Amino acid sequence: MTSPLITPAELAALDEVTVLDVRWRLGGPPGEGLYREGHIPGAVFCDLDADLAAPPGAGGRHPLPEAGAFQAAMRRLGVTDAPVVVYDDAGSTTAARAWWALRYFGHRNVRVLDGGLQAWTAANLPITKDVPDSAVGGFTARPGGMPVLTADEAAELATRGVLLDARAAERYRGEVEPVDPVAGHVPGAVNAPTTENVGPDGRFLDPAALRARFTALGVGEGVEVGAYCGSGVTAAHEVLALEVAGLPGALYVGSWSNWVADPTRPVATG
């Protein structure tokens, strides 16, 4: 199986590739500003909120976009059927959402730059402020390339398989909730913070280490697994880590922000 990750040296050696810069900050400076301060040569900026999600609402803070909207966004960014590489500067947490969305909508050759922009610069590879003129791409969005969960399916999975909560432990326990109106977690979910998928350098742990991590959480051959987070972004990172480990996983895209939009859904704490 081809790894969903790519090294800086492997990316630098590619001739025909679309590179998407998916940097984003919750409550911080816009990712496009970071992009214009310096990015990988040839990369185009991909906006998490505008390009990889529908407007927030009952479906969550980052719901799945409609196929037509996603296709239009990717074509504007120059995406074709040629290889795509996505990166950020935050341990691949937002790049993973771009990877997952492209995979969900049928792109068969998309990889995440392991270690992100930091790994690129650590390899003494160039950074530029030049914004490329991207040609309109011909990508066609075909939904269904990755498994997804509804709220009801996530609740059911938590009882018969493993539902991973990718948020920080204190949010899972309900001790703090900085974003959503209700604190806690889906009953039966297991806490698996995405920060533990990567090392101090932001690179993913090797497949064996990730497999051991998920095995300790109850994931294994024949065990159905899904993941959620606050809004379906870092949970895509969990699905990516599962894939690196050779374990398929489904994404509850609406995640906690969708779960608590319905006051009748149960909430667990502790």
Side-chain angles (χ1 to χ4, degrees), residues 26 56 63 65 82 138 155 184 189 211 234 244:
L26 177 62
R211 196 173 185 89
T234 55
V244 173

Side-chain angles (χ1 to χ4, degrees), residues 24 26 48-50 52-57 59-65 97 230-233 253-255 257:
W24 182 81
L26 177 62
L48 170 65
D49 295 312
L52 303 176
R61 283 184 281 111
H62 288 110
L64 189 66
R97 172 64 178 238
S231 70
V233 175
V253 183
S255 285
S257 56

